[in-house]
Amino acid sequence: MSSSLFSWFQLSLGFLGVIGLFLLFIGIIVLIAIKKKKQSQDIKINIKNLNEIYKENKDKILKEILSESELKEISKQEKLEEKEKKKLEKSDSKSDVKTEKPKRIFVLDFNGDVAASAVTVFREQVTTLLQTARPCDEVVVRLESPGGMVHAYGLASSQLARIKDQKIPLTICVDKVAASGGYMMACLADKIIAAPFAILGSIGVIASLPNLNKLLHKNDIDYLEITAGEYKRTLTPLGEITEKKKAKFQEQIDDVHELFKSHVQKYRNIVDIQVVATGEYWYGIKALEIKLVDELKTSDDYLLEASKQFEVYQIYTPKKESLREKLSGSVNSIISTAIEKNLTKAENKYPLFM
């Protein structure tokens, strides 16, 4: 193969790579836009009492393991407790002394992707919640997110700030991950609870892109980009990389990082920002030591314990599966089962440890 033909082959591959990345990026944006439009058109807010669900599940087990006489005794005791509770409520209503209304706990979920697309539903849930929640109540957000786009997570964080502005106590539970944009949200909480091996932190900013400018020059192809404003574009996939452009791009990244650090300091001033804002992440056990979290516990334990004293309500939006998603789920299930069988065989031969 001649050198010129090889160069054209390289160029073709390069162009195909850039075009592929560009189309993939556009495709993701379009899919997210369609998803957001559908969600905003039909967002239904539902609520369920977690106390009732806990009791129902508990009763199912008790019916299997206890005798009839033991079940009757438990039922009798529960009726007496309920009667005493109603009697107390009745006497309080007749009394001239104003008694404090019982605390309620409202539970929300935020499962974040790169574009924080869950904010479309989350903001509607927060709006609904703020019409009924009182300062004596508590809002618990079960948060899972590795972070993503700055502006998207800025909006998601603003939804939590709305709760704070109403003086309603906010607790955030992290069972798996709240990193980067996820921690941008988490730091607004009055109390952060994390599982021991949950990933937290990553208070940093990153940006990267491929550049084919040298490949274009090598094949005598000019790239024209017309802008108005000195820094309308700094680094691009096809434009020339200059020290001035690199410096400006770094300056922009540093500015965002400073905003991120200021945000964390504002809402969680107990952390040493010089220690935690290095872009590193930590597991829950270490995160507790450096004050990124306040307590080590799963959201399951926190809510179960809370339900023994207070009424706990989950606010959620039911997800409707399309026919495509149902078919896709079935195919994935078949593939996963096949892979799992092969992995099990391999693990039996070559076990892994961690």
Side-chain angles (χ1 to χ4, degrees):
M1 186 183 289
S2 66
S3 60
S4 60
L5 185 60
F6 183 71
S7 297
W8 276 106
F9 180 69
Q10 277 187 310
L11 183 62
S12 299
L13 284 178
F15 271 123
L16 286 172
V18 171
I19 292 168
L21 286 172
F22 178 74
L23 291 175
L24 179 63
F25 178 74
I26 295 297
I28 291 170
I29 297 297
V30 170
L31 285 173
I32 290 170
I34 292 170
K35 185 179 178 183
K36 284 184 177 181
K37 187 177 180 181
K38 284 183 178 178
Q39 286 178 334
S40 61
Q41 286 174 346
D42 186 27
I43 296 176
K44 293 180 180 178
I45 309 297
N46 286 7
I47 186 166
K48 58 185 173 185
N49 188 312
L50 294 184
N51 301 66
E52 292 175 2
I53 293 172
Y54 292 150
K55 186 179 184 308
E56 184 182 330
N57 292 335
K58 175 186 169 184
D59 289 345
K60 284 178 184 177
I61 295 175
L62 291 178
K63 283 179 183 178
E64 291 296 325
I65 64 174
L66 298 181
S67 64
E68 282 190 27
S69 59
E70 288 173 319
L71 287 171
K72 284 180 181 178
E73 187 61 35
I74 291 173
S75 179
K76 184 180 177 182
Q77 186 62 36
E78 287 177 348
K79 284 178 182 177
L80 283 172
E81 289 174 0
E82 188 64 27
K83 189 176 179 181
E84 284 296 319
K85 185 180 176 182
K86 286 181 179 179
K87 187 178 178 182
L88 186 64
E89 287 174 357
K90 193 175 180 181
S91 63
D92 287 341
S93 63
K94 288 182 178 179
S95 173
D96 293 332
V97 181
K98 287 185 177 180
T99 55
E100 217 175 284
K101 290 183 178 180
K103 172 181 172 179
R104 302 168 302 189
I105 296 176
F106 297 97
V107 183
L108 300 174
D109 291 285
F110 187 95
N111 294 303
D113 55 18
V114 173
S117 53
V119 76
T120 306
V121 171
F122 190 67
R123 69 198 305 183
E124 295 299 328
Q125 292 175 343
V126 171
T127 297
T128 303
L129 172 65
L130 292 180
Q131 295 176 70
T132 53
R134 308 156 302 181
C136 64
D137 295 326
E138 179 185 356
V139 175
V140 176
V141 177
R142 293 184 290 199
L143 173 63
E144 301 295 341
S145 174
M149 298 177 184
V150 177
H151 64 284
Y153 276 92
L155 177 58
S157 298
S158 297
Q159 300 308 315
L160 296 176
R162 294 172 64 198
I163 297 170
K164 297 271 289 183
D165 291 344
Q166 296 301 313
K167 311 298 181 187
I168 301 168
L170 175 63
T171 300
I172 287 182
C173 295
V174 182
D175 289 325
K176 293 180 183 177
V177 58
S180 198
Y183 196 79
M184 180 188 282
M185 294 178 67
C187 71
L188 278 98
D190 297 296
K191 180 166 58 178
I192 303 175
I193 296 171
F197 286 91
I199 293 172
L200 300 112
S202 190
I203 303 170
V205 187
I206 185 171
S208 60
L209 75 163
N211 185 273
L212 300 177
N213 186 261
K214 289 182 180 179
L215 187 60
L216 293 177
H217 277 294
K218 185 178 178 181
N219 291 277
D220 297 322
I221 297 174
D222 292 328
Y223 170 69
L224 179 64
E225 186 175 72
I226 300 172
T227 61
E230 186 179 0
Y231 295 115
K232 179 62 180 175
R233 285 287 182 272
T234 50
L235 300 181
T236 64
L238 300 178
E240 183 183 2
I241 297 175
T242 65
E243 289 303 317
K244 187 177 182 181
K245 288 180 179 180
K246 277 172 64 177
K248 184 60 181 177
F249 197 70
Q250 184 63 56
E251 181 188 324
Q252 292 168 335
I253 294 293
D254 290 338
D255 285 345
V256 175
H257 192 211
E258 287 302 318
L259 284 171
F260 195 172
K261 287 161 65 177
S262 299
H263 174 83
V264 175
Q265 281 183 305
K266 177 182 177 181
Y267 290 105
R268 194 166 179 85
N269 55 20
I270 62 171
V271 299
D272 184 341
I273 200 66
Q274 300 308 319
V275 172
V276 301
T278 59
E280 299 170 80
Y281 68 84
W282 295 269
Y283 291 105
I285 298 167
K286 182 65 179 178
L288 181 64
E289 292 178 21
I290 57 177
K291 299 180 181 178
L292 284 173
V293 302
D294 301 297
E295 188 179 347
L296 294 181
K297 187 180 289 184
T298 64
S299 63
D300 313 278
D301 279 338
Y302 184 75
L303 294 175
L304 185 60
E305 287 173 17
S307 70
K308 294 172 184 176
Q309 292 181 285
F310 312 107
E311 290 295 309
V312 182
Y313 301 95
Q314 181 185 356
I315 295 174
Y316 68 100
T317 299
K319 184 182 177 183
K320 288 183 178 180
E321 278 193 338
S322 65
L323 179 61
R324 180 179 59 82
E325 287 173 328
K326 288 177 181 177
L327 291 172
S328 175
S330 300
V331 172
N332 287 337
S333 177
I334 293 167
I335 293 171
S336 297
T337 304
I339 291 172
E340 190 176 342
K341 285 180 180 177
N342 288 327
L343 284 176
T344 303
K345 288 179 182 177
E347 285 173 359
N348 289 334
K349 290 181 180 178
Y350 310 104
L352 301 176
F353 300 92
M354 62 175 292

